[in-house]
Amino acid sequence: SIPRNPIDSQMLTTGELLEQNTFAIPLNQRAWSWHEGKMGRLWRDIAATADHFTSSSGNRKTFDGSVSGLPHFIGFMVFEGREPAEVYDGQQRLTSLCVMISALREAVGPLANDASLSPELRQNLNADSTWLAEWQSNSQSGQPTLTLDSQHNPLFQEYVMLARDDASRQAARNRYESVINSSKTTKSFLKSVDAFRREIDDSLPTESKDRAE
């Protein structure tokens, strides 16, 4: 979890960071503004790191979601307070990671029910239940891990953090249609999210997508 002493630092995996904490964007921070180019580079960097691990004879290859070697370094992030922690450096990366995990959840999440896969991998595929939101038992609603600025947050929650399929995202678009049509930044926000989802989907092996359908 995030250290209680504000001058302390700690190295965490993405899963540890998102599973153990909740975050909010302070009012004095600029809105999320990464376009699809920057988001695409983040995804390609992460994918290239994974490819290096699985293709290098010096690293252990497994299908249980673990691999030895150095991870992709996302960079330093600065937070203040707890539950939620206010994000002072790292908003763009943190938001983009949530978008990426949401896209992966939809693309390969159904494989979590594939009995032919190892229990470890199935657990990892289902990790989004605590990475993006603390899901309430017997409910489709949850407490989101990340809260954005007031302009983008309602749509972000429904379109990214809580949506699990095309139908739920389209319902969010319909609900916020007037907001989307009246705001260039909101349109740009959705364009980036959708472009990122397409890039991730296009980069996944065909057999993985076939098994998930």
Side-chain angles (χ1 to χ4, degrees):
S1 63
I2 296 174
R4 294 184 181 277
N5 188 330
I7 65 171
D8 285 345
S9 63
Q10 188 173 353
M11 182 173 288
L12 301 172
T13 66
T14 299
E16 290 169 339
L17 181 69
L18 297 178
E19 188 173 38
Q20 300 173 10
N21 305 282
T22 57
F23 304 93
I25 307 303
L27 293 176
N28 62 347
Q29 294 293 302
R30 64 189 176 96
W32 181 64
S33 60
W34 271 23
H35 53 72
E36 55 266 34
K38 282 191 174 182
M39 295 175 69
R41 284 194 294 274
L42 173 64
W43 167 247
R44 289 190 292 273
D45 284 348
I46 294 173
T49 303
D51 288 343
H52 172 73
F53 287 161
T54 56
S55 64
S56 173
S57 59
N59 291 288
R60 178 170 57 89
K61 296 187 295 182
T62 71
F63 292 96
D64 65 359
S66 63
V67 63
S68 62
L70 294 174
H72 176 76
F73 181 59
I74 298 297
F76 292 100
M77 297 185 185
V78 179
F79 311 106
E80 182 178 0
R82 295 176 61 84
E83 305 303 330
E86 293 190 328
V87 183
Y88 284 94
D89 186 11
Q91 178 200 171
Q92 309 296 320
R93 286 165 289 157
L94 190 59
T95 305
S96 297
L97 285 171
C98 288
V99 174
M100 181 184 72
I101 294 167
S102 172
L104 288 170
R105 170 181 63 191
E106 186 170 333
V108 300
L111 289 174
N113 299 318
D114 189 338
S116 67
L117 299 178
S118 70
E120 292 84 0
L121 180 55
R122 291 166 64 189
Q123 181 179 3
N124 286 344
L125 288 170
N126 210 25
D128 65 86
S129 61
T130 52
W131 286 13
L132 295 186
E134 182 179 348
W135 292 92
Q136 300 169 3
S137 59
N138 302 318
S139 173
Q140 289 300 307
S141 62
Q143 177 62 42
T145 299
L146 176 63
T147 301
L148 294 190
D149 60 281
S150 58
Q151 178 181 354
H152 293 109
N153 189 62
L155 180 58
F156 176 72
Q157 299 305 329
E158 293 193 36
Y159 200 77
V160 174
M161 301 295 275
L162 302 179
R164 288 177 170 265
D165 50 38
D166 287 337
S168 55
R169 283 198 307 279
Q170 186 58 51
R173 276 184 172 272
N174 294 340
R175 189 172 296 110
Y176 296 98
E177 183 178 8
S178 60
V179 176
I180 295 170
N181 291 336
S182 62
S183 171
K184 289 184 179 181
T185 58
T186 303
K187 287 181 181 178
S188 177
F189 169 85
L190 287 179
K191 181 181 178 181
S192 295
V193 170
D194 291 341
F196 196 30
R197 298 183 68 87
R198 288 193 298 270
E199 176 152 3
I200 289 180
D201 190 60
D202 290 344
S203 68
L204 292 174
T206 303
E207 60 268 23
S208 295
K209 290 185 282 188
D210 290 342
R211 293 177 69 185
E213 291 177 353

